[in-house]
């Protein structure tokens, strides 16, 4: 059952909106599955739109970095709201 749970994927920034602090991101891994026709098939991922970008923060301080198209990122999927 846990083999079907996916919480993090590597990604690639396609575009970044610094005003809204959101990005368009593509998952950098193909989806692998099997069906009746083939044991091993792959499917490319679609682009994720308006993903919030998170920077580490604590107290009154926040670490930020310049984000640009082509940067690598880590995509977290939360199954519950914060």
């Amino acid at each position: 059952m846990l083999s079907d749970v996916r919480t993090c994927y590597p990604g690639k920034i396609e575009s970044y909106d610094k005003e809204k602090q959101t990005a368009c991101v593509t998952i950098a891994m193909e989806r692998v599955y099997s069906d009746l026709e083939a044991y091993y098939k792959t499917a490319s991922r679609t682009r994720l739109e308006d993903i919030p970008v998170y920077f580490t923060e604590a107290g009154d301080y926040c670490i930020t970095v310049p984000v640009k198209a082509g940067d690598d990122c880590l995509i977290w999927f939360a199954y519950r709201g914060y």
Side-chain angles (χ1 to χ4, degrees), residues 55-70:
F55 296 106
T56 303
E57 60 183 87
D60 294 332
Y61 300 95
C62 181
I63 298 171
T64 61
V65 295
V67 178
K68 63 184 184 318

Side-chain angles (χ1 to χ4, degrees), residues 37-57:
E37 296 173 9
Y39 179 70
Y40 180 81
K41 284 185 147 183
T42 60
S44 57
R45 301 288 184 161
T46 58
R47 190 166 110 151
L48 305 173
E49 304 283 335
D50 292 324
I51 304 301
V53 175
Y54 173 78
F55 296 106
T56 303
E57 60 183 87

Side-chain angles (χ1 to χ4, degrees), residues 6-50:
R6 307 286 185 248
T7 56
C8 290
Y9 284 103
K12 188 70 80 173
I13 303 283
E14 299 292 327
S15 64
Y16 177 66
D17 183 340
K18 67 179 181 180
E19 299 300 319
K20 297 190 318 183
Q21 291 197 351
T22 60
C24 294
V25 181
T26 301
I27 295 175
M29 291 174 52
E30 293 178 326
R31 182 174 167 255
V32 179
Y33 64 96
S34 61
D35 62 14
L36 295 175
E37 296 173 9
Y39 179 70
Y40 180 81
K41 284 185 147 183
T42 60
S44 57
R45 301 288 184 161
T46 58
R47 190 166 110 151
L48 305 173
E49 304 283 335
D50 292 324

